[in-house]
Amino acid sequence: MKRKVTLLLCLALTGTMVLGGCGSSKGDSDGGEKDASKDSQKTKWASTDETFNPLDEKDAISFEDLREKLGAISKSDKEFSFAGNVKAFENVVWQEIANGYEGFADDAKAAGRKLTVDTTSPMGESDEEGQLSILKDQVRQGVNAVLLSPISDANCLPGIEAAHDADIPVFAVNNEFNGADMFVGPNSLEQGEIAAEWVNDKIGGKGEVAIVMGMAKTGVTRNRTEGFESWFKENNPDIEVVAKQNADWDRSKAKDVAATFLKTYPDLKAVFCNNDVMALGVVEAVKEANLELNKDIYVIGCDGQSEAYDSIRAGEMAATIDSFPYYEGYMAAEVCYRWMIGQDVPKVVFTPCRMLDSTNVDKTAEENLGWEAPTFE
């Protein structure tokens, strides 16, 4: 059952967040945990100097395959506290990811496990220093693991180094970054490819399209954009990407970018946006240009926000690539817990995404995802 979104409006500089649990540890399966904090040598964590790209990991696995491989979640009497750190609760995607963390913790506790997850965020998706301050505070609290989604590739690096100095693993959720010990989230290159294939079918395999991109310094932006562009280059050069521009995940910026696109390229058939917030801004620009949505032009987003669902139902946005953020958060917490109790988890676990349009937007997330709850030994 999907839980109600809770707004955890925490200020980055207050330093008042309290996280339960003891120092960092990675346990062995079957309840035979060892306390890494008592080891004479620190664990060798990932380097912040080395580029980490989940797409380069040969042992990457899908979440579905990981569940099939590992089976039930092993028994453990160890007590864990995880810290969630997301970009900004002003974006419902991050609210839902945080709620997913909590959802897994609730189910784990119902199964007799000892797990708490406490998640916070900076004041907005541009508050890079605030997010770093939160991360440093979480490290000082002595949590067992951090589930982190940084605003940019580099803004949290000093905090990640502090976590590793404290022997705390850092799990990348949704977007990769240097220094991450593991990645859990959708394949962002594949998301762009899915969008391109959908656009190709809708506009009849010929025409001009454009891209509204997120922040330039994030891997998600680069991968979603590259996936969209490369699909046409490899599969159908009759569709041309005539324009692309960053709008920094901002709705009003995206509206302005799209207004310029529409004037410069009057034959534009589709606009792919790196997230739903920007897609909703593009919809506003198309309406103000007196063009008919889903006839003259298609607007495609990414993430699966509730407002995007409403827009699709209203016949405005054409589609979104849904990464099911609540379940993405749930899966990330589950993967982290499995790793902490010693189950064999590879460094990269890809969570599922689906194309949502008028044909399936009224189905539940569980139906579209094919969701099943985990089993506990």
Side-chain angles (χ1 to χ4, degrees):
M1 183 66 67
K2 190 174 182 181
R3 289 161 175 78
K4 182 179 179 182
V5 172
T6 303
L7 293 177
L8 307 174
L9 298 178
C10 300
L11 297 177
L13 302 179
T14 58
T16 58
M17 184 181 66
V18 178
L19 293 169
C22 55
S24 172
S25 67
K26 180 182 183 297
D28 299 323
S29 61
D30 299 322
E33 300 85 355
K34 65 177 182 179
D35 189 343
S37 65
K38 296 179 181 178
D39 289 349
S40 59
Q41 289 185 326
K42 295 288 187 181
T43 303
K44 187 181 185 304
W45 302 113
S47 171
T48 56
D49 296 326
E50 297 177 2
T51 301
F52 174 42
N53 183 354
L55 301 176
D56 293 336
E57 290 293 319
K58 295 180 180 179
D59 295 331
I61 192 172
S62 71
F63 180 78
E64 298 95 331
D65 288 344
L66 180 76
R67 278 248 188 108
E68 183 177 353
K69 172 187 173 184
L70 297 183
I73 298 173
S74 303
K75 293 179 181 179
S76 175
D77 294 326
K78 187 69 177 180
E79 182 174 353
F80 295 108
S81 63
F82 298 167
N85 187 325
V86 297
K87 293 184 182 183
F89 286 133
E90 65 184 8
N91 185 329
V92 70
V93 168
W94 302 111
Q95 296 172 27
E96 289 287 74
I97 284 177
N99 283 347
Y101 296 160
E102 183 181 349
F104 175 76
D106 288 346
D107 289 349
K109 284 183 281 189
R113 308 306 169 88
K114 300 172 184 178
L115 172 65
T116 59
V117 184
D118 203 340
T119 304
T120 189
S121 82
M123 293 302 294
E125 290 198 46
S126 62
D127 186 12
E128 296 186 24
E129 287 298 323
Q131 187 179 37
L132 173 59
S133 179
I134 289 172
L135 177 57
K136 288 180 176 179
D137 186 58
Q138 291 171 321
V139 170
R140 285 192 293 267
Q141 294 294 332
V143 298
N144 298 104
V146 177
L147 298 162
L148 178 62
S149 302
I151 291 171
S152 72
D153 288 347
N155 71 296
C156 285
L157 290 183
I160 296 165
E161 290 171 351
H164 288 163
D165 287 342
D167 211 21
I168 299 171
V170 181
F171 290 72
V173 180
N174 192 266
N175 52 299
E176 67 276 8
F177 52 86
N178 293 353
D181 301 296
M182 182 173 292
F183 171 82
V184 185
N187 183 327
S188 50
L189 186 77
E190 182 183 43
Q191 289 176 318
E193 293 169 345
I194 290 171
E197 186 172 6
W198 187 93
V199 166
N200 182 72
D201 292 340
K202 280 294 180 182
I203 68 175
K206 189 173 184 178
E208 296 179 341
V209 299
I211 308 171
V212 178
M213 302 184 294
M215 291 182 69
K217 49 188 174 180
T218 63
V220 169
T221 292
R222 294 189 293 272
N223 290 338
R224 288 176 178 174
T225 300
E226 180 185 346
F228 189 78
E229 289 185 292
S230 63
W231 191 92
F232 293 118
K233 291 177 182 177
E234 295 172 7
N235 296 281
N236 185 8
D238 289 335
I239 292 181
E240 181 183 4
V241 178
V242 294
K244 57 182 179 179
Q245 186 172 331
N246 297 95
D248 302 332
W249 311 121
D250 186 86
R251 184 168 180 160
S252 61
K253 288 183 182 179
K255 179 181 177 181
D256 292 342
V257 167
T260 300
F261 284 173
L262 295 172
K263 290 176 183 177
T264 307
Y265 304 99
D267 295 326
L268 203 61
K269 298 299 182 184
V271 179
F272 170 54
C273 303
N274 285 169
N275 79 349
D276 288 334
V277 172
M278 296 188 298
L280 292 164
V282 173
V283 164
E284 294 174 14
V286 171
K287 291 164 72 174
E288 289 185 6
N290 295 316
L291 295 172
E292 187 173 349
L293 287 155
N294 300 316
K295 184 176 180 181
D296 297 326
I297 192 167
Y298 296 91
V299 179
I300 303 92
C302 204
D303 284 338
Q305 285 196 10
S306 57
E307 192 174 356
Y309 272 52
D310 292 340
S311 183
I312 293 169
R313 292 186 182 107
E316 295 181 343
M317 265 184 67
T320 180
I321 297 91
D322 196 344
S323 55
F324 305 95
Y326 173 86
Y327 291 103
E328 182 185 347
Y330 189 108
M331 287 182 266
E334 179 182 333
V335 168
C336 182
Y337 186 80
R338 285 179 182 271
W339 188 87
M340 294 295 291
I341 63 174
Q343 290 193 296
D344 184 16
V345 179
K347 187 170 183 176
V348 172
V349 179
F350 287 124
T351 58
C353 56
R354 306 280 188 269
M355 175 60 79
L356 271 291
D357 58 18
S358 59
T359 65
N360 56 0
V361 70
D362 288 323
K363 293 182 179 180
T364 66
E366 293 81 2
E367 288 175 317
N368 283 319
L369 187 58
W371 175 254
E372 293 183 2
T375 57
F376 293 82
E377 287 184 355

